[in-house]
Amino acid sequence: PLPNVTTIRASFDTGTSEYNSLQTTFQRRLKSGLVLNANYTLAKMEDNVATLAGGTNPYGLIPTQVETYDWGRSELDIRHRVAFSANYELPFGKNSTGATRAFIHGWQVNMVGYWQSGLPFTVASSVTRINTTATSDRPNMLKDPTLSDPTIQRWFDTTAFAAQALGTAGDEIGRAHV
């Protein structure tokens, strides 16, 4: 009935995620019109969605085992985040009236900033060795890839990964933080 259609692909919602966090806030209002605000979040997010950013395979490396094999740190896992803001109401124009008040009263100066830890990553091999429909797969992780003194040229230990045996899935599923 549809001569130009060769494939119909079905997509299913099978991903699971878990987010836990500790969130703290400090706020201080001063009489001079200054308001200071600081927030800290310690969080951990895990999921079994292989990629949200178009990486290895959106259904997991082994689609029939996505619930267990692909469970690890989420690509959205931000472990530490500090945010701060300052708001200062400028002191001029408080006693003015009419058009002057409309133009100069209530002006503020604001500042917002944040610092956060880096996003995790999953190491992928461009050579598929698992023999599935995936266009890339994961290697085996031999050791922790974190370097004690990372540089711009070498910010994680590349010798921590090796190709897995043909026809098997690699075990690098932790989405390492370095």
Side-chain angles (χ1 to χ4, degrees), residues 8-45:
I8 297 176
R9 182 175 180 180
S11 298
F12 301 97
D13 250 348
T14 59
T16 301
S17 65
E18 182 178 291
Y19 178 80
N20 295 291
S21 70
L22 167 72
Q23 301 171 16
T24 60
T25 299
F26 169 80
Q27 187 175 63
R28 178 74 180 182
R29 294 177 184 269
L30 303 173
K31 290 181 181 179
S32 63
L34 179 64
V35 178
L36 302 173
N37 192 353
N39 302 289
Y40 171 72
T41 302
L42 170 64
K44 183 175 183 182
M45 183 172 184

mmCIF file of all heavy atoms in Angstrom, residues 8-45:
data_model
loop_
_atom_site.group_PDB
_atom_site.id
_atom_site.type_symbol
_atom_site.label_atom_id
_atom_site.label_comp_id
_atom_site.label_asym_id
_atom_site.label_seq_id
_atom_site.Cartn_x
_atom_site.Cartn_y
_atom_site.Cartn_z
ATOM 1 N N ILE A 8 9.670 1.543 8.686
ATOM 2 C CA ILE A 8 8.930 2.321 9.663
ATOM 3 C C ILE A 8 9.565 2.015 11.013
ATOM 4 O O ILE A 8 9.605 0.859 11.435
ATOM 5 C CB ILE A 8 7.437 1.959 9.676
ATOM 6 C CG1 ILE A 8 6.812 2.297 8.325
ATOM 7 C CG2 ILE A 8 6.725 2.687 10.821
ATOM 8 C CD1 ILE A 8 5.364 1.886 8.193
ATOM 9 N N ARG A 9 10.077 3.051 11.647
ATOM 10 C CA ARG A 9 10.787 2.866 12.905
ATOM 11 C C ARG A 9 9.869 3.227 14.071
ATOM 12 O O ARG A 9 9.248 4.286 14.077
ATOM 13 C CB ARG A 9 12.016 3.747 12.934
ATOM 14 C CG ARG A 9 12.832 3.588 14.174
ATOM 15 C CD ARG A 9 14.102 4.399 14.080
ATOM 16 N NE ARG A 9 14.847 4.211 15.303
ATOM 17 C CZ ARG A 9 15.985 4.767 15.551
ATOM 18 N NH1 ARG A 9 16.539 5.544 14.649
ATOM 19 N NH2 ARG A 9 16.607 4.562 16.680
ATOM 20 N N ALA A 10 9.806 2.382 15.061
ATOM 21 C CA ALA A 10 9.020 2.650 16.263
ATOM 22 C C ALA A 10 9.956 3.102 17.373
ATOM 23 O O ALA A 10 11.010 2.514 17.585
ATOM 24 C CB ALA A 10 8.268 1.400 16.690
ATOM 25 N N SER A 11 9.583 4.153 18.065
ATOM 26 C CA SER A 11 10.357 4.660 19.192
ATOM 27 C C SER A 11 9.543 4.476 20.462
ATOM 28 O O SER A 11 8.340 4.691 20.472
ATOM 29 C CB SER A 11 10.680 6.138 18.996
ATOM 30 O OG SER A 11 11.468 6.330 17.866
ATOM 31 N N PHE A 12 10.228 4.081 21.542
ATOM 32 C CA PHE A 12 9.543 3.826 22.795
ATOM 33 C C PHE A 12 10.201 4.610 23.921
ATOM 34 O O PHE A 12 11.416 4.792 23.929
ATOM 35 C CB PHE A 12 9.579 2.329 23.135
ATOM 36 C CG PHE A 12 8.941 1.477 22.086
ATOM 37 C CD1 PHE A 12 9.715 0.863 21.114
ATOM 38 C CD2 PHE A 12 7.570 1.303 22.050
ATOM 39 C CE1 PHE A 12 9.136 0.088 20.133
ATOM 40 C CE2 PHE A 12 6.978 0.530 21.075
ATOM 41 C CZ PHE A 12 7.762 -0.084 20.112
ATOM 42 N N ASP A 13 9.414 5.044 24.878
ATOM 43 C CA ASP A 13 9.905 5.695 26.082
ATOM 44 C C ASP A 13 10.291 4.625 27.086
ATOM 45 O O ASP A 13 9.442 4.087 27.779
ATOM 46 C CB ASP A 13 8.774 6.537 26.694
ATOM 47 C CG ASP A 13 9.013 8.000 26.558
ATOM 48 O OD1 ASP A 13 10.130 8.384 26.199
ATOM 49 O OD2 ASP A 13 8.079 8.763 26.828
ATOM 50 N N THR A 14 11.578 4.300 27.175
ATOM 51 C CA THR A 14 11.982 3.254 28.108
ATOM 52 C C THR A 14 13.020 3.727 29.102
ATOM 53 O O THR A 14 13.476 2.958 29.911
ATOM 54 C CB THR A 14 12.557 2.037 27.355
ATOM 55 O OG1 THR A 14 13.679 2.471 26.587
ATOM 56 C CG2 THR A 14 11.519 1.402 26.467
ATOM 57 N N GLY A 15 13.410 4.977 29.053
ATOM 58 C CA GLY A 15 14.446 5.471 29.949
ATOM 59 C C GLY A 15 13.940 5.730 31.354
ATOM 60 O O GLY A 15 12.769 6.026 31.581
ATOM 61 N N THR A 16 14.841 5.603 32.309
ATOM 62 C CA THR A 16 14.555 5.867 33.709
ATOM 63 C C THR A 16 15.661 6.756 34.240
ATOM 64 O O THR A 16 16.821 6.590 33.878
ATOM 65 C CB THR A 16 14.535 4.547 34.519
ATOM 66 O OG1 THR A 16 13.549 3.692 33.962
ATOM 67 C CG2 THR A 16 14.224 4.795 35.972
ATOM 68 N N SER A 17 15.306 7.695 35.109
ATOM 69 C CA SER A 17 16.329 8.533 35.722
ATOM 70 C C SER A 17 16.029 8.716 37.201
ATOM 71 O O SER A 17 14.890 8.538 37.649
ATOM 72 C CB SER A 17 16.418 9.894 35.026
ATOM 73 O OG SER A 17 15.233 10.623 35.215
ATOM 74 N N GLU A 18 17.070 9.064 37.948
ATOM 75 C CA GLU A 18 16.943 9.283 39.380
ATOM 76 C C GLU A 18 17.802 10.485 39.747
ATOM 77 O O GLU A 18 18.974 10.561 39.372
ATOM 78 C CB GLU A 18 17.441 8.048 40.124
ATOM 79 C CG GLU A 18 17.312 8.125 41.617
ATOM 80 C CD GLU A 18 17.778 6.835 42.272
ATOM 81 O OE1 GLU A 18 17.096 5.816 42.119
ATOM 82 O OE2 GLU A 18 18.833 6.871 42.929
ATOM 83 N N TYR A 19 17.214 11.445 40.475
ATOM 84 C CA TYR A 19 17.917 12.663 40.863
ATOM 85 C C TYR A 19 17.789 12.856 42.364
ATOM 86 O O TYR A 19 16.688 12.813 42.907
ATOM 87 C CB TYR A 19 17.318 13.869 40.131
ATOM 88 C CG TYR A 19 17.940 15.191 40.501
ATOM 89 C CD1 TYR A 19 19.144 15.589 39.951
ATOM 90 C CD2 TYR A 19 17.327 16.046 41.400
ATOM 91 C CE1 TYR A 19 19.723 16.810 40.285
ATOM 92 C CE2 TYR A 19 17.889 17.263 41.736
ATOM 93 C CZ TYR A 19 19.087 17.636 41.165
ATOM 94 O OH TYR A 19 19.654 18.837 41.493
ATOM 95 N N ASN A 20 18.908 13.023 43.033
ATOM 96 C CA ASN A 20 18.930 13.299 44.460
ATOM 97 C C ASN A 20 19.807 14.522 44.692
ATOM 98 O O ASN A 20 20.858 14.658 44.056
ATOM 99 C CB ASN A 20 19.500 12.109 45.246
ATOM 100 C CG ASN A 20 18.619 10.891 45.129
ATOM 101 O OD1 ASN A 20 17.518 10.870 45.647
ATOM 102 N ND2 ASN A 20 19.098 9.884 44.428
ATOM 103 N N SER A 21 19.387 15.395 45.618
ATOM 104 C CA SER A 21 20.198 16.579 45.859
ATOM 105 C C SER A 21 19.999 17.122 47.266
ATOM 106 O O SER A 21 18.993 16.872 47.921
ATOM 107 C CB SER A 21 19.862 17.673 44.850
ATOM 108 O OG SER A 21 18.571 18.195 45.089
ATOM 109 N N LEU A 22 20.995 17.886 47.695
ATOM 110 C CA LEU A 22 20.938 18.682 48.897
ATOM 111 C C LEU A 22 21.064 20.121 48.426
ATOM 112 O O LEU A 22 22.011 20.456 47.715
ATOM 113 C CB LEU A 22 22.095 18.340 49.839
ATOM 114 C CG LEU A 22 22.321 19.324 50.989
ATOM 115 C CD1 LEU A 22 21.211 19.181 52.026
ATOM 116 C CD2 LEU A 22 23.680 19.110 51.624
ATOM 117 N N GLN A 23 20.105 20.962 48.798
ATOM 118 C CA GLN A 23 20.103 22.347 48.336
ATOM 119 C C GLN A 23 20.066 23.272 49.545
ATOM 120 O O GLN A 23 19.258 23.084 50.454
ATOM 121 C CB GLN A 23 18.884 22.607 47.447
ATOM 122 C CG GLN A 23 18.852 21.712 46.242
ATOM 123 C CD GLN A 23 17.544 21.813 45.468
ATOM 124 O OE1 GLN A 23 16.775 22.742 45.647
ATOM 125 N NE2 GLN A 23 17.304 20.848 44.610
ATOM 126 N N THR A 24 20.971 24.259 49.547
ATOM 127 C CA THR A 24 21.015 25.229 50.632
ATOM 128 C C THR A 24 20.958 26.643 50.055
ATOM 129 O O THR A 24 21.405 26.877 48.941
ATOM 130 C CB THR A 24 22.296 25.083 51.463
ATOM 131 O OG1 THR A 24 23.425 25.300 50.618
ATOM 132 C CG2 THR A 24 22.393 23.715 52.100
ATOM 133 N N THR A 25 20.399 27.574 50.835
ATOM 134 C CA THR A 25 20.278 28.962 50.403
ATOM 135 C C THR A 25 20.645 29.884 51.553
ATOM 136 O O THR A 25 20.271 29.626 52.706
ATOM 137 C CB THR A 25 18.839 29.275 49.954
ATOM 138 O OG1 THR A 25 18.510 28.445 48.850
ATOM 139 C CG2 THR A 25 18.678 30.721 49.539
ATOM 140 N N PHE A 26 21.360 30.938 51.232
ATOM 141 C CA PHE A 26 21.670 32.005 52.171
ATOM 142 C C PHE A 26 21.181 33.301 51.555
ATOM 143 O O PHE A 26 21.486 33.594 50.396
ATOM 144 C CB PHE A 26 23.177 32.088 52.430
ATOM 145 C CG PHE A 26 23.580 33.328 53.173
ATOM 146 C CD1 PHE A 26 23.425 33.407 54.549
ATOM 147 C CD2 PHE A 26 24.090 34.421 52.503
ATOM 148 C CE1 PHE A 26 23.783 34.552 55.236
ATOM 149 C CE2 PHE A 26 24.452 35.580 53.177
ATOM 150 C CZ PHE A 26 24.304 35.644 54.554
ATOM 151 N N GLN A 27 20.401 34.071 52.314
ATOM 152 C CA GLN A 27 19.929 35.351 51.803
ATOM 153 C C GLN A 27 20.077 36.397 52.902
ATOM 154 O O GLN A 27 19.747 36.147 54.065
ATOM 155 C CB GLN A 27 18.468 35.272 51.368
ATOM 156 C CG GLN A 27 18.003 36.542 50.662
ATOM 157 C CD GLN A 27 16.602 36.408 50.123
ATOM 158 O OE1 GLN A 27 15.663 36.226 50.881
ATOM 159 N NE2 GLN A 27 16.478 36.501 48.814
ATOM 160 N N ARG A 28 20.569 37.546 52.496
ATOM 161 C CA ARG A 28 20.760 38.635 53.445
ATOM 162 C C ARG A 28 20.234 39.922 52.831
ATOM 163 O O ARG A 28 20.649 40.318 51.748
ATOM 164 C CB ARG A 28 22.250 38.773 53.771
ATOM 165 C CG ARG A 28 22.618 39.867 54.677
ATOM 166 C CD ARG A 28 22.225 39.550 56.091
ATOM 167 N NE ARG A 28 22.631 40.685 56.937
ATOM 168 C CZ ARG A 28 22.481 40.722 58.203
ATOM 169 N NH1 ARG A 28 21.947 39.711 58.826
ATOM 170 N NH2 ARG A 28 22.871 41.763 58.885
ATOM 171 N N ARG A 29 19.284 40.588 53.534
ATOM 172 C CA ARG A 29 18.739 41.871 53.097
ATOM 173 C C ARG A 29 19.286 42.945 54.030
ATOM 174 O O ARG A 29 19.088 42.869 55.238
ATOM 175 C CB ARG A 29 17.216 41.857 53.161
ATOM 176 C CG ARG A 29 16.580 40.905 52.203
ATOM 177 C CD ARG A 29 15.052 40.904 52.394
ATOM 178 N NE ARG A 29 14.436 39.915 51.552
ATOM 179 C CZ ARG A 29 14.001 40.137 50.314
ATOM 180 N NH1 ARG A 29 14.136 41.342 49.789
ATOM 181 N NH2 ARG A 29 13.458 39.185 49.605
ATOM 182 N N LEU A 30 19.948 43.929 53.455
ATOM 183 C CA LEU A 30 20.524 45.011 54.237
ATOM 184 C C LEU A 30 19.671 46.268 54.092
ATOM 185 O O LEU A 30 19.013 46.465 53.060
ATOM 186 C CB LEU A 30 21.963 45.270 53.786
ATOM 187 C CG LEU A 30 22.895 44.051 53.869
ATOM 188 C CD1 LEU A 30 24.232 44.361 53.245
ATOM 189 C CD2 LEU A 30 23.065 43.608 55.306
ATOM 190 N N LYS A 31 19.685 47.137 55.098
ATOM 191 C CA LYS A 31 18.868 48.357 55.083
ATOM 192 C C LYS A 31 19.278 49.316 53.967
ATOM 193 O O LYS A 31 18.495 50.133 53.524
ATOM 194 C CB LYS A 31 18.958 49.064 56.430
ATOM 195 C CG LYS A 31 18.263 48.328 57.536
ATOM 196 C CD LYS A 31 18.354 49.087 58.838
ATOM 197 C CE LYS A 31 17.675 48.308 59.954
ATOM 198 N NZ LYS A 31 17.762 48.997 61.232
ATOM 199 N N SER A 32 20.494 49.204 53.500
ATOM 200 C CA SER A 32 20.984 50.132 52.480
ATOM 201 C C SER A 32 20.432 49.837 51.086
ATOM 202 O O SER A 32 20.787 50.506 50.123
ATOM 203 C CB SER A 32 22.511 50.078 52.437
ATOM 204 O OG SER A 32 22.937 48.781 52.054
ATOM 205 N N GLY A 33 19.577 48.819 50.953
ATOM 206 C CA GLY A 33 19.022 48.480 49.646
ATOM 207 C C GLY A 33 19.771 47.357 48.945
ATOM 208 O O GLY A 33 19.509 47.053 47.788
ATOM 209 N N LEU A 34 20.684 46.727 49.653
ATOM 210 C CA LEU A 34 21.472 45.633 49.084
ATOM 211 C C LEU A 34 20.884 44.298 49.519
ATOM 212 O O LEU A 34 20.582 44.104 50.700
ATOM 213 C CB LEU A 34 22.929 45.739 49.560
ATOM 214 C CG LEU A 34 23.890 44.667 49.077
ATOM 215 C CD1 LEU A 34 24.059 44.736 47.556
ATOM 216 C CD2 LEU A 34 25.239 44.816 49.779
ATOM 217 N N VAL A 35 20.705 43.396 48.562
ATOM 218 C CA VAL A 35 20.235 42.045 48.840
ATOM 219 C C VAL A 35 21.275 41.076 48.279
ATOM 220 O O VAL A 35 21.627 41.141 47.096
ATOM 221 C CB VAL A 35 18.855 41.766 48.191
ATOM 222 C CG1 VAL A 35 18.423 40.334 48.461
ATOM 223 C CG2 VAL A 35 17.815 42.747 48.699
ATOM 224 N N LEU A 36 21.770 40.164 49.114
ATOM 225 C CA LEU A 36 22.739 39.152 48.711
ATOM 226 C C LEU A 36 22.075 37.786 48.796
ATOM 227 O O LEU A 36 21.330 37.504 49.744
ATOM 228 C CB LEU A 36 23.971 39.188 49.614
ATOM 229 C CG LEU A 36 24.727 40.508 49.674
ATOM 230 C CD1 LEU A 36 25.802 40.444 50.739
ATOM 231 C CD2 LEU A 36 25.312 40.839 48.318
ATOM 232 N N ASN A 37 22.347 36.942 47.840
ATOM 233 C CA ASN A 37 21.747 35.607 47.790
ATOM 234 C C ASN A 37 22.803 34.629 47.298
ATOM 235 O O ASN A 37 23.466 34.891 46.294
ATOM 236 C CB ASN A 37 20.543 35.617 46.849
ATOM 237 C CG ASN A 37 19.695 34.377 46.964
ATOM 238 O OD1 ASN A 37 20.051 33.430 47.648
ATOM 239 N ND2 ASN A 37 18.567 34.384 46.288
ATOM 240 N N ALA A 38 22.965 33.496 47.993
ATOM 241 C CA ALA A 38 23.894 32.450 47.568
ATOM 242 C C ALA A 38 23.212 31.095 47.722
ATOM 243 O O ALA A 38 22.473 30.866 48.687
ATOM 244 C CB ALA A 38 25.177 32.491 48.397
ATOM 245 N N ASN A 39 23.427 30.222 46.761
ATOM 246 C CA ASN A 39 22.829 28.888 46.770
ATOM 247 C C ASN A 39 23.904 27.858 46.470
ATOM 248 O O ASN A 39 24.785 28.092 45.646
ATOM 249 C CB ASN A 39 21.753 28.764 45.687
ATOM 250 C CG ASN A 39 20.667 29.783 45.837
ATOM 251 O OD1 ASN A 39 19.873 29.693 46.746
ATOM 252 N ND2 ASN A 39 20.659 30.774 44.964
ATOM 253 N N TYR A 40 23.795 26.695 47.117
ATOM 254 C CA TYR A 40 24.692 25.582 46.831
ATOM 255 C C TYR A 40 23.853 24.329 46.641
ATOM 256 O O TYR A 40 22.923 24.078 47.412
ATOM 257 C CB TYR A 40 25.696 25.353 47.972
ATOM 258 C CG TYR A 40 26.486 24.081 47.797
ATOM 259 C CD1 TYR A 40 27.472 23.980 46.819
ATOM 260 C CD2 TYR A 40 26.221 22.965 48.571
ATOM 261 C CE1 TYR A 40 28.183 22.809 46.630
ATOM 262 C CE2 TYR A 40 26.927 21.786 48.401
ATOM 263 C CZ TYR A 40 27.909 21.716 47.435
ATOM 264 O OH TYR A 40 28.598 20.556 47.254
ATOM 265 N N THR A 41 24.175 23.563 45.622
ATOM 266 C CA THR A 41 23.494 22.298 45.376
ATOM 267 C C THR A 41 24.531 21.197 45.223
ATOM 268 O O THR A 41 25.462 21.318 44.423
ATOM 269 C CB THR A 41 22.630 22.360 44.100
ATOM 270 O OG1 THR A 41 21.685 23.409 44.227
ATOM 271 C CG2 THR A 41 21.898 21.049 43.860
ATOM 272 N N LEU A 42 24.375 20.137 45.997
ATOM 273 C CA LEU A 42 25.154 18.905 45.861
ATOM 274 C C LEU A 42 24.180 17.889 45.295
ATOM 275 O O LEU A 42 23.150 17.607 45.916
ATOM 276 C CB LEU A 42 25.681 18.440 47.216
ATOM 277 C CG LEU A 42 26.310 17.045 47.254
ATOM 278 C CD1 LEU A 42 27.563 16.999 46.382
ATOM 279 C CD2 LEU A 42 26.626 16.641 48.675
ATOM 280 N N ALA A 43 24.457 17.376 44.105
ATOM 281 C CA ALA A 43 23.466 16.533 43.431
ATOM 282 C C ALA A 43 24.099 15.319 42.783
ATOM 283 O O ALA A 43 25.310 15.282 42.524
ATOM 284 C CB ALA A 43 22.731 17.348 42.367
ATOM 285 N N LYS A 44 23.268 14.341 42.502
ATOM 286 C CA LYS A 44 23.682 13.164 41.742
ATOM 287 C C LYS A 44 22.493 12.731 40.885
ATOM 288 O O LYS A 44 21.394 12.544 41.398
ATOM 289 C CB LYS A 44 24.093 12.023 42.658
ATOM 290 C CG LYS A 44 24.590 10.804 41.898
ATOM 291 C CD LYS A 44 25.092 9.733 42.837
ATOM 292 C CE LYS A 44 25.657 8.573 42.071
ATOM 293 N NZ LYS A 44 26.109 7.510 42.974
ATOM 294 N N MET A 45 22.723 12.611 39.591
ATOM 295 C CA MET A 45 21.684 12.165 38.678
ATOM 296 C C MET A 45 22.196 10.945 37.922
ATOM 297 O O MET A 45 23.283 10.969 37.350
ATOM 298 C CB MET A 45 21.298 13.264 37.699
ATOM 299 C CG MET A 45 20.177 12.862 36.780
ATOM 300 S SD MET A 45 19.623 14.281 35.803
ATOM 301 C CE MET A 45 18.266 13.535 34.929
#
